[in-house]
Amino acid sequence: MAGKPFHLGWFTNFTADEWTGTFETGGMPWDGKFYVEMAQALERACFDFLMLEDKLAISEAYGGTAEAFLKHAVGMAPKHDPVPLAALIFGATSQIGVVATMSTLGYPPFLLARLCSTMDSIAGGRFGWNIVTSAENLSAQNFGLEKLPARELRYDMAEEYMQCCYGLFDSWEPDAVIRDRVRGIYADHTKVHPVNFEGKYFRSRGPLNTVRSPQGRPTLLQAGGSPKGRAFAAKHADCVICIAEGIEGMKEYRDDILARAAAAGRAPGGVKIMYLIAPVLGESEGEAREKYAKANSGDIFIERSLALISSITDIDFKAYPLDQPLPGHLTTNGEQGTLEKFQQWGSGKTLRQLVVDSSGGTASCIELVGTPDQVAEMMGDAMATIGGDGFLITTPGQVNSRRATLEVTDGLVPALQKRGLMRTSYEQKLLRDRLRAD
Ligand SMILES: Cc1cc2nc3c(=O)[nH]c(=O)nc-3n(C[C@H](O)[C@H](O)[C@H](O)COP(=O)(O)O)c2cc1C
């Protein structure tokens, strides 16, 4: 089927490369070059942006120790800071956006606003910030707190944090820099204003000491799942990214976010919603199915997956017997939405079955296994049904390999383009304008 082009983002993190498989990358990704090449491939394929997920601690959620995380290089460790990597990528690309994750728990607002402004200038208006509030006690403890504040409080604080940042981003009027050589004036001081933000949790005098960046403020991404998180996302995000259960769940999420965005006074089309997927691609459907089955079996797969889901939910899944259903409906102060999808409460499935269903702990809103043409068709059908805006693509098991990226950029994307479902060139320079375009 032919349809209207949708948006594509790539979801990854500054973590270890593929080091165990047949097509391992053979090197250390820590100088960032591996990711720079990844971004170049994604730019060739006209992706809207590459998003760098991030966390601020080495998890000990699985079995009360960091062992599984360090052994498998999974979950949160080792993980490097995404912002310098984004700067490297900007130096080696000219179109693709890069979205870095930064937590309202970690950065004082002034530092974050200054960093975003600097990054967006370096990027020529292609920088995005994925707003997170952090969801782990250990992250909170890395910043001197005893434990993570409750979710509701985290969002109350984040709301105030945003108001403070908006004030700082707007502390320079768009035409403050005049660079008047005749009169000898670089910036007009009457157009740079203190902010004097005084909140319950944050205070900042301002103004920023960086010039206003091309986008004014970075493109904002957010992935709220709880009612309060969804309200926050609908109010602030240019692009909401989500993990939902199947077509029904995706549609419910979209309708809810759009209703909340309208209630918050947002203009129609101002908020885009993109769904996390992890397609499994092969030369034939049989090959893709075989690949899927192989990737989702074995003891290492089980341990890796349980460790990953433990780190995301801050729940110790090592404590539960593998071949029995979970003892009750679990809740968390961490990522409840991901937990809900994982635990399939009421299904009666054993923990082992839940792990297999979750495809290596990497949630995919819908199962997409097949040839590039088959998967492109399924993606088009999903968007036609949901009326959605696009997808955030990751690899099954969150494995960073060149092969997995190329299967998408040089296999799936051409199949989408053939159907008119994906653009073939970049039109807008600023990331926000690109996302706003239909
Ligand atoms: C696609 C996606 C990406 C996310 N990336 C991050 C991330 O990089 N760092 C982080 O701490 N949380 C991340 N989260 C968690 C969200 O910020 C959010 O906390 C989660 O969806 C649960 O929603 P809630 O906070 O409303 O409970 C991500 C969630 C999703 C669905």
Side-chain angles (χ1 to χ4, degrees):
M1 63 161 268
K4 103 182 157 62
F6 42 67
H7 298 274
L8 282 190
W10 183 262
F11 178 87
T12 189
N13 29 39
F14 196 171
T15 46
D17 53 348
E18 164 61 77
W19 58 284
T20 55
T22 318
F23 290 87
E24 57 109 355
T25 55
M28 296 285 286
W30 305 115
D31 61 4
K33 285 185 193 145
F34 172 81
Y35 292 98
V36 167
E37 287 175 14
M38 181 189 276
Q40 288 168 331
L42 295 167
E43 183 169 80
R44 195 175 66 234
C46 295
F47 267 65
D48 289 76
F49 60 82
L50 172 151
M51 182 200 142
L52 296 162
E53 180 268 355
D54 197 27
K55 298 274 179 181
L56 296 168
I58 299 179
S59 182
E60 294 176 10
Y62 186 71
T65 153
E67 183 182 352
F69 301 100
L70 294 171
K71 180 174 142 196
H72 298 297
V74 71
M76 305 184 189
K79 188 173 283 188
H80 283 202
D81 193 313
V83 182
L85 177 60
L88 264 187
I89 293 173
F90 287 131
T93 56
S94 61
Q95 303 287 339
I96 192 166
V98 182
V99 178
T101 299
M102 287 179 273
S103 170
T104 52
L105 185 88
Y107 291 77
F110 184 87
L111 201 55
L112 180 131
R114 183 170 185 259
L115 188 54
C116 284
S117 166
T118 304
M119 288 300 298
D120 195 45
S121 285
I122 286 176
R126 296 185 280 143
F127 185 63
W129 167 30
N130 177 35
I131 311 162
V132 298
T133 62
S134 289
E136 314 81 29
N137 277 323
L138 293 189
S139 294
Q141 285 163 9
N142 281 342
F143 293 89
L145 301 175
E146 222 164 89
K147 64 179 175 88
L148 187 69
R151 180 183 296 110
E152 302 274 307
L153 175 58
R154 297 204 301 274
Y155 277 114
D156 284 344
M157 293 172 76
E159 176 58 41
E160 198 184 290
Y161 191 106
M162 295 309 296
Q163 299 311 326
C164 184
C165 287
Y166 292 149
L168 290 166
F169 289 134
D170 293 339
S171 61
W172 284 63
E173 291 183 31
D175 54 354
V177 173
I178 50 177
R179 219 169 165 270
D180 185 332
R181 285 159 64 96
V182 177
R183 289 189 296 153
I185 303 172
Y186 187 80
D188 178 350
H189 77 284
T190 66
K191 296 189 169 172
V192 181
H193 310 285
V195 175
N196 292 319
F197 184 86
E198 300 266 347
K200 189 168 163 194
Y201 309 104
F202 303 102
R203 298 170 72 186
S204 183
R205 183 182 182 279
L208 279 185
N209 54 354
T210 54
V211 300
R212 193 179 176 91
S213 77
Q215 292 186 105
R217 53 178 81 160
T219 293
L220 299 175
L221 264 67
Q222 219 276 333
S226 61
K228 202 145 180 167
R230 288 181 182 208
F232 180 91
K235 180 172 175 190
H236 297 285
D238 298 296
C239 175
V240 181
I241 50 176
C242 98
I243 175 72
E245 185 61 55
I247 299 287
E248 283 285 297
M250 292 158 85
K251 195 158 171 29
E252 182 278 325
Y253 188 86
R254 178 177 166 82
D255 293 346
D256 185 52
I257 292 288
L258 293 185
R260 288 176 190 273
R266 304 281 305 270
V271 188
K272 293 293 190 282
I273 297 157
M274 289 167 72
Y275 300 97
L276 191 67
I277 52 167
V280 181
L281 300 161
E283 296 277 344
S284 64
E285 187 180 341
E287 188 192 290
R289 292 245 158 248
E290 212 174 291
K291 200 163 134 192
Y292 186 62
K294 195 171 157 210
N296 289 351
S297 61
D299 292 346
I300 292 180
F301 159 75
I302 297 282
E303 186 173 70
R304 225 179 160 269
S305 306
L306 285 175
L308 185 57
I309 192 75
S310 292
S311 73
I312 293 172
T313 58
D314 236 359
I315 290 174
D316 182 6
F317 281 96
K318 198 173 185 179
Y320 301 114
L322 252 182
D323 291 305
Q324 288 174 27
L326 291 168
H329 191 186
L330 303 176
T331 57
T332 176
N333 189 24
E335 294 186 28
Q336 184 67 33
T338 309
L339 178 62
E340 289 301 343
K341 182 167 164 56
F342 175 76
Q343 69 182 326
Q344 299 186 47
W345 182 241
S347 69
K349 291 184 182 175
T350 66
L351 180 55
R352 189 188 298 276
Q353 287 169 318
L354 295 180
V355 171
V356 171
D357 284 3
S358 79
S359 173
T362 300
S364 188
C365 291
I366 39 174
E367 187 182 283
L368 295 167
V369 184
T371 63
D373 276 320
Q374 288 172 320
V375 171
E377 199 77 8
M378 289 187 257
M379 289 168 69
D381 287 347
M383 281 302 102
T385 310
I386 298 161
D389 304 302
F391 295 94
L392 184 62
I393 302 186
T394 188
T395 54
Q398 280 180 7
V399 168
N400 283 316
S401 82
R402 290 194 188 95
R403 187 187 190 198
T405 309
L406 288 181
E407 282 176 353
V408 172
T409 57
D410 296 23
L412 180 59
V413 167
L416 289 169
Q417 286 169 334
K418 214 163 62 186
R419 291 168 171 75
L421 295 172
M422 173 72 187
R423 74 165 77 78
T424 52
S425 63
Y426 287 103
E427 279 166 28
Q428 298 80 13
K429 191 76 194 155
L430 303 183
L431 180 54
R432 180 175 291 105
D433 291 348
R434 186 180 304 154
L435 281 170
R436 286 218 174 128
D438 273 340

